Amino acid sequence: MEGLTLSDAEQKYYSDLFSYCDIESTKKVVVNGRVLELFRAAQLPNDVVLQIMELCGATRLGYFGRSQFYIALKLVAVAQSGFPLRVESINTVKDLPLPRFVASKNEQESRHAASYSSDSENQGSYSGVIPPPPGRGQVKKGSVSHDTVQPRTSADAQEPASPVVSPQQSPPTSPHTWRKHSRHPSGGNSERPLAGPGPFWSPFGEAQSGSSAGDAVWSGHSPPPPQENWDQTTVRTVASATTAIEIRRQSSSYDDPWKITDEQRQYYVNQFKTIQPDLNGFIPGSAAKEFFTKSKLPILELSHIWELSDFDKDGALTLDEFCAAFHLVVARKNGYDLPEKLPESLMPKLIDLEDSADVGDQPGEVGYSGSPAEAPPSKSPSMPSLNQTWPELNQSSEQWETFSERSSSSQTLTQFDSNIAPADPDTAIVHPVPIRMTPSKIHMQEMELKRTGSDHTNPTSPLLVKPSDLSEENKINSSVKFASGNTVADGYSSSDSFTSDPEQIGSNVTRQRSHSGTSPDNTAPPPPPPRPQPSHSRSSSLDMNRTFTVTTGQQQAGVVAHPPAVPPRPQPSQAPGPAVHRPVDADGLITHTSTSPQQIPEQPNFADFSQFEVFAASNVNEEQDDEAEKHPEVLPAEKASDPASSLRVAKTDSKTEEKTAASAPANVSKGTTPLAPPPKPVRRRLKSEDELRPEVDEHTQKTGVLAAVLASQPSIPRSVGKDKKAIQASIRRNKETNTVLARLNSELQQQLKDVLEERISLEVQLEQLRPFSHL
Amino acid sequence: MAVCIAVIAKENYPLYIRSTPTENKLKFHYMVHTSLDVVDEKISAMGKALVDQRELYLGLLYPTEDYKVYLSGQGVCQGGPTVARCTLGSDNLKPLRRKKKEMFRKLHNSYTDVMCNPFYNPGDRIQSSRAFDNMVTSMMIQVC
């Protein structure tokens, strides 16, 4: 017990307390009464107090000697810290906070400082010093300071309870004699070098209960306005010895509770200057980060503090923001939880107001007092109103700022609005769609479908895209592209394969026709492709004319004259379309055959028909049957959905028949059958744009072959040998053409399948997009 | 009403992802990840000129229908550390585009605020910013 070791602060504190209790200035013995009061002020239960007294030996001695007093004080501290009261605990408990006595308002000061003053002030408070306005948080300070034992939850929670509690303890117990004593200490207080810690206590009710005399005394003693008293008599002076860190700790308790005292602010400003000499300037984020990292708070909390304090969200701290941030750091270090949003007192503008009001108050320099009293109450009404309006204004201005300052985002976003707003969501064709560089009518249709279907898609630069689309459309209109049927939507390889075909640009008519044929559904938005010229009817003859003239250049328009007539026979690959018409009457056939050969001479390919015709005429009768047979054979075969094979079959049949029929009739039939097929491939060509070309080419080839064959045929009757050779040659050629046509057919079939698939997918997409068209 | 909000970094990992608890979170993770492909596709389709813009509001990425929940992914791609933000929103058939854009604007602003914080290292998960969380919560709660 005797080996009590006290730290310097404790030493000083205890000595002061001893002096305080040493009413009689004995320097040795303390008045029991005073000590008892002191102990009661420590807010310890009476039994604890008794225990302490026992432990310290006072009961034994009957009085409080200095050592006993010190021990007792230490025990009080121990008890207040929650440690069990043991004799050994005096020395074993490390870092024992100084004992606190009664609720002091010194929230912002270290505990010892607070209790330090609280002691002497206790008397005053008991005697009913005018309590500071409770709302000002001085209560809070007091509560916090003496409730440091309790976990440092938000000061608010503690505020209401403790100040009420503390005063209750002391004043009622103040014996009558006490008041007398109070007067002494009041005088003593004033004499004290302590600068008479002002009545930090918030003895609300008790103050009044206190004797009026005491009030008078105290009021006389207490520096005029209690606030000032608090300001001046705060342990700031005492705390001058404390380091900056302690100051920070002390400043954990704020007025409301986030107010910044003047000293604090001064400190902050000084710190600000170390980073940024210009007080009106900014501290960049990186510098601030380094600075606050020094405080050793976790990064998470630092980022949250930054979030709170960087009011204008500019990544830099103004002086006010810096002070707010610093203040929050200090608070956090002292155990206060960070608020969800910036407290009003820390808002940049308000801090300025505080400064102006606080100017005359503080004599102290380094030490911060918890003196919340700095804020004159007059300010408070204005502050809340400002507080309320400020955040709103700020937030709104922030919003404006964000919209205007964040130019990149706002501009781009506003671009969106400007671009999209006028467009009708349902029908707007504003939005870009992945542009397919390969233009085609169907593709354009698809693109437009997409646009209508999805308004949201790619609104970024509809203006940019639209012109491109338009250009595409122009392209499409100007130059025919290709088998649009295959260029459905995205990435259909077939379309690509066809797009690459340069020759397709040739005949607009055919392509357009086929286009329209293959994608009847998609022709809605764009105008339907111009109707192919009337000469374009399904009659293969016209087509043949076209194709022949275009592609081969050899063929003449002789075929054009065929519409009603049988198309030139020499081409076995030709569709039997006209043949359908033809065979109506065998006479017609005959006439056809007769006419065709006549017309044939116009075309070099068909030139041989003249001979053939002669030939045929002689064998009309025979041929008629054959033709009739063959035509029906051919026709039905050709009428079959898959003409190629049937045609081939027919052709082969015809050929075989031709072979069998060694005479002209065979030739005639051959001639006829070849005539039958021709229209069909042509028709097919019409349907599918792409294949037209190759078809045409093949067609021409075939026609050439056939022509050659036919050319050779008429010579048959002339010489059997020749016929045989010719037949063989023709057979060969026919076979070749057959294979070619077969290939063609398969390709066409494939294309047809692709087109159908594309169409189906398009329809599916359309259905999918349709519900979102009004999104 | 957004069912899930995610902020994805350039390296295709989520900086922030949060979904309403009613749905399976993993599903949303998947969807966010797959929507990245759509974002990439759209970006590539948009062409080089548009990539110059710092941000692209891609709008509706891809509509899926799942239990009558329409997921609309909208991505905003911005330069720098490319961050795509996708909001999967379950909408009552017709969320206004305007509102969605508002949402994204707010989201973007909040994200900018987070980035401004010197204590935030780019590439970290956004778990420190309460303001961001609050904003996200408000987006998820409000009904478009």
Side-chain angles (χ1 to χ4, degrees):
Chain A
M1 213 185 281
E2 311 312 320
L4 183 62
T5 55
L6 296 173
S7 65
D8 289 348
E10 284 178 342
Q11 181 78 22
K12 195 173 178 196
Y13 185 42
Y14 292 168
S15 64
D16 284 338
L17 283 175
F18 190 79
S19 310
Y20 172 73
C21 295
D22 189 9
I23 309 170
E24 298 165 357
S25 301
T26 60
K27 304 280 194 264
K28 275 188 189 171
V29 176
V30 191
V31 177
N32 278 6
R34 183 60 68 80
V35 171
L36 281 172
E37 284 307 319
L38 193 66
F39 289 162
R40 280 197 207 90
Q43 289 192 311
L44 295 172
N46 278 346
D47 51 349
V48 172
V49 170
L50 289 172
Q51 195 178 0
I52 290 172
M53 289 174 62
E54 277 182 353
L55 284 172
C56 73
T59 48
R60 188 167 27 91
L61 292 175
Y63 60 90
F64 276 97
R66 188 169 279 266
S67 60
Q68 283 78 31
F69 187 70
Y70 287 177
I71 291 166
L73 288 176
K74 191 93 182 190
L75 285 171
V76 166
V78 166
Q80 282 179 340
S81 301
F83 297 105
L85 281 178
R86 297 280 182 274
V87 175
E88 302 77 14
S89 61
I90 298 171
N91 289 330
T92 54
V93 176
K94 305 290 180 201
D95 296 333
L96 195 61
L98 293 168
R100 293 170 301 285
F101 298 95
V102 185
S104 78
K105 311 250 177 105
N106 302 348
E107 291 177 353
Q108 295 180 4
E109 305 173 9
S110 63
R111 294 178 209 139
H112 79 268
S115 50
Y116 200 125
S117 60
S118 67
D119 238 355
S120 49
E121 294 157 20
N122 200 358
Q123 309 279 335
S125 65
Y126 300 153
S127 53
V129 175
I130 301 170
R136 261 303 86 172
Q138 290 154 354
V139 172
K140 301 175 187 178
K141 282 189 192 167
S143 65
V144 170
S145 62
H146 85 277
D147 282 339
T148 49
V149 180
Q150 301 171 11
R152 287 223 181 157
T153 56
S154 68
D156 294 336
Q158 298 174 1
E159 294 162 17
S162 47
V164 179
V165 172
S166 58
Q168 284 168 359
Q169 289 184 4
S170 42
T173 62
S174 62
H176 194 67
T177 57
W178 221 71
R179 299 263 161 74
K180 294 181 205 163
H181 293 302
S182 69
R183 294 201 196 142
H184 290 278
S186 69
N189 272 346
S190 55
E191 294 162 1
R192 279 201 196 182
L194 268 186
F200 279 82
W201 311 94
S202 60
F204 310 119
E206 289 64 294
Q208 282 123 30
S209 65
S211 62
S212 55
D215 286 336
V217 170
W218 270 111
S219 52
H221 279 286
S222 64
Q227 297 167 357
E228 288 176 7
N229 191 15
W230 292 311
D231 301 339
Q232 296 166 6
T233 59
T234 55
V235 190
R236 254 172 281 142
T237 54
V238 175
S240 61
T242 61
T243 62
I245 297 175
E246 277 182 340
I247 289 171
R248 266 199 234 163
R249 254 187 249 116
Q250 295 161 18
S251 57
S252 63
S253 57
Y254 312 131
D255 193 7
D256 57 43
W258 298 108
K259 203 147 111 176
I260 301 182
T261 66
D262 205 47
E263 290 83 7
Q264 290 174 331
R265 186 157 179 85
Q266 197 56 44
Y267 182 72
Y268 299 156
V269 170
N270 293 337
Q271 292 293 317
F272 185 91
K273 282 184 192 153
T274 62
I275 306 177
Q276 163 71 276
D278 177 18
L279 287 184
N280 290 328
F282 291 88
I283 289 185
S286 49
K289 175 180 178 176
E290 287 173 27
F291 182 80
F292 286 115
T293 312
K294 284 189 234 160
S295 70
K296 308 233 180 0
L297 284 181
I299 296 284
L300 202 62
E301 302 194 6
L302 286 175
S303 78
H304 188 59
I305 288 174
W306 177 277
E307 226 178 37
L308 289 173
S309 60
D310 188 5
F311 210 65
D312 46 8
K313 303 278 183 243
D314 57 357
L317 296 180
T318 63
L319 180 62
D320 291 338
E321 291 172 346
F322 177 82
C323 292
F326 210 131
H327 208 61
L328 289 169
V329 167
V330 164
R332 193 77 188 107
K333 281 210 95 94
N334 281 287
Y336 282 83
D337 286 339
L338 294 176
E340 283 297 324
K341 73 183 192 94
L342 194 63
E344 294 171 353
S345 57
L346 294 180
M347 300 236 177
K349 261 195 194 169
L350 299 176
I351 291 179
D352 288 337
L353 290 176
E354 275 185 28
D355 272 344
S356 60
D358 291 346
V359 164
D361 286 342
Q362 317 293 338
E365 316 88 41
V366 186
Y368 299 146
S369 67
S371 67
E374 299 178 329
S378 60
K379 223 204 289 183
S380 52
S382 61
M383 270 166 48
S385 61
L386 278 167
N387 294 346
Q388 286 154 12
T389 55
W390 169 254
E392 297 163 7
L393 287 174
N394 210 5
Q395 284 165 11
S396 60
S397 66
E398 232 183 21
Q399 287 177 357
W400 300 128
E401 282 173 2
T402 57
F403 290 168
S404 62
E405 287 176 1
R406 299 192 181 155
S407 56
S408 60
S409 62
S410 62
Q411 281 171 6
T412 52
L413 291 177
T414 49
Q415 277 178 7
F416 302 162
D417 279 338
S418 63
N419 289 330
I420 292 176
D424 183 2
D426 288 334
T427 64
I429 306 184
V430 182
H431 307 283
V433 160
I435 301 160
R436 191 151 264 285
M437 299 323 290
T438 59
S440 76
K441 285 245 154 68
I442 285 192
H443 184 57
M444 287 308 301
Q445 294 159 9
E446 291 161 5
M447 281 164 62
E448 294 202 313
L449 273 177
K450 274 192 184 177
R451 286 183 218 140
T452 55
S454 58
D455 284 329
H456 306 284
T457 56
N458 309 329
T460 50
S461 60
L463 297 176
L464 287 180
V465 179
K466 206 176 178 191
S468 61
D469 287 348
L470 293 173
S471 64
E472 275 197 301
E473 288 177 4
N474 295 335
K475 276 189 229 166
I476 288 174
N477 292 335
S478 59
S479 66
V480 182
K481 302 20 174 226
F482 41 36
S484 58
N486 294 323
T487 61
V488 171
D490 321 326
Y492 280 93
S493 57
S494 58
S495 64
D496 289 338
S497 61
F498 286 104
T499 60
S500 58
D501 198 335
E503 299 170 2
Q504 295 168 354
I505 299 184
S507 60
N508 291 348
V509 178
T510 55
R511 230 169 279 122
Q512 287 171 1
R513 261 190 75 187
S514 56
H515 183 99
S516 55
T518 49
S519 61
D521 297 339
N522 298 332
T523 54
R531 267 292 164 203
Q533 294 141 23
S535 62
H536 242 320
S537 62
R538 285 268 175 103
S539 65
S540 59
S541 58
L542 296 176
D543 276 344
M544 283 163 48
N545 290 340
R546 286 270 163 135
T547 55
F548 299 158
T549 51
V550 171
T551 56
T552 60
Q554 291 178 356
Q555 298 169 357
Q556 297 169 7
V559 186
V560 183
H562 280 211
V566 179
R569 292 269 177 104
Q571 302 175 2
S573 61
Q574 293 176 13
V580 179
H581 306 290
R582 277 178 258 140
V584 175
D585 20 331
D587 298 339
L589 261 180
I590 297 168
T591 55
H592 284 316
T593 55
S594 62
T595 54
S596 58
Q598 290 168 3
Q599 292 162 355
I600 286 170
E602 297 171 6
Q603 304 171 1
N605 287 346
F606 303 98
D608 299 327
F609 261 118
S610 55
Q611 301 167 6
F612 181 66
E613 179 190 347
V614 172
F615 200 53
S618 60
N619 300 323
V620 162
N621 294 331
E622 300 168 334
E623 294 167 6
Q624 280 185 7
D625 302 334
D626 294 338
E627 288 173 9
E629 295 169 11
K630 277 149 200 174
H631 270 295
E633 289 170 0
V634 172
L635 292 175
E638 290 170 354
K639 283 174 188 171
S641 57
D642 290 339
S645 54
S646 59
L647 275 178
R648 267 179 252 128
V649 171
K651 288 169 200 167
T652 52
D653 289 345
S654 66
K655 284 175 190 171
T656 53
E657 284 174 353
E658 286 171 357
K659 280 184 187 174
T660 55
S663 62
N667 289 339
V668 172
S669 61
K670 195 174 171 188
T672 55
T673 51
L675 281 178
K680 206 148 196 194
V682 177
R683 217 182 298 140
R684 238 177 291 132
R685 215 170 285 163
L686 294 177
K687 285 176 190 169
S688 56
E689 320 80 68
D690 297 347
E691 300 89 10
L692 278 178
R693 282 257 174 83
E695 279 186 27
V696 170
D697 294 337
E698 293 170 358
H699 198 90
T700 56
Q701 292 171 11
K702 293 164 207 162
T703 57
V705 169
L706 291 170
V709 169
L710 288 170
S712 61
Q713 287 173 0
S715 62
I716 290 175
R718 291 164 194 174
S719 60
V720 177
K722 277 189 187 174
D723 285 345
K724 283 185 185 170
K725 287 182 189 172
I727 288 167
Q728 287 167 4
S730 64
I731 288 168
R732 246 182 286 116
R733 280 178 220 121
N734 285 336
K735 281 185 186 169
E736 289 168 11
T737 55
N738 278 345
T739 53
V740 169
L741 285 174
R743 231 184 301 126
L744 235 195
N745 184 46
S746 60
E747 287 174 10
L748 286 173
Q749 290 300 312
Q750 186 58 38
Q751 285 178 8
L752 179 65
K753 281 183 206 165
D754 292 339
V755 169
L756 288 175
E757 281 175 12
E758 289 168 6
R759 181 188 166 173
I760 291 169
S761 66
L762 264 185
E763 287 176 358
V764 166
Q765 280 185 14
L766 184 62
E767 286 173 10
Q768 281 179 357
L769 291 173
R770 200 167 280 153
F772 295 91
S773 62
H774 34 262
L775 275 180
Chain B
M1 166 171 79
V3 168
C4 164
I5 293 177
V7 178
I8 301 172
K10 188 178 189 179
E11 291 79 17
N12 294 336
Y13 64 87
L15 294 177
Y16 182 91
I17 179 166
R18 201 168 110 192
S19 56
T20 56
T22 53
E23 296 275 357
N24 185 12
K25 280 185 192 176
L26 192 58
K27 182 179 84 163
F28 283 120
H29 279 253
Y30 285 147
M31 256 180 254
V32 166
H33 203 73
T34 54
S35 64
L36 287 178
D37 293 333
V38 185
V39 173
D40 282 341
E41 178 187 322
K42 294 222 168 182
I43 290 172
S44 60
M46 302 267 285
K48 307 291 182 270
L50 299 175
V51 175
D52 294 341
Q53 290 183 14
R54 272 205 72 242
E55 302 160 56
L56 301 175
Y57 174 72
L58 297 177
L60 184 70
L61 286 177
Y62 189 78
T64 70
E65 187 170 351
D66 193 3
Y67 309 121
K68 301 278 181 180
V69 171
Y70 285 77
L71 300 173
S72 63
Q74 284 156 343
V76 178
C77 169
Q78 77 179 46
T82 309
V83 173
R85 258 158 275 148
C86 308
T87 301
L88 305 179
S90 80
D91 58 27
N92 345 326
L93 299 186
K94 280 197 184 190
L96 294 176
R97 271 179 299 117
R98 229 170 297 119
K99 283 195 180 163
K100 286 207 180 281
K101 277 213 210 83
E102 288 290 332
M103 269 168 54
F104 269 100
R105 192 175 298 150
K106 273 197 295 183
L107 187 59
H108 182 73
N109 288 344
S110 306
Y111 177 72
T112 313
D113 291 344
V114 170
M115 294 295 284
C116 281
N117 191 329
F119 297 103
Y120 169 77
N121 303 319
D124 289 352
R125 302 205 40 202
I126 303 177
Q127 57 202 14
S128 60
S129 168
R130 273 187 231 172
F132 193 83
D133 282 341
N134 293 341
M135 188 273 314
V136 168
T137 309
S138 74
M139 280 169 73
M140 294 174 79
I141 289 175
Q142 83 181 28
V143 180
C144 289

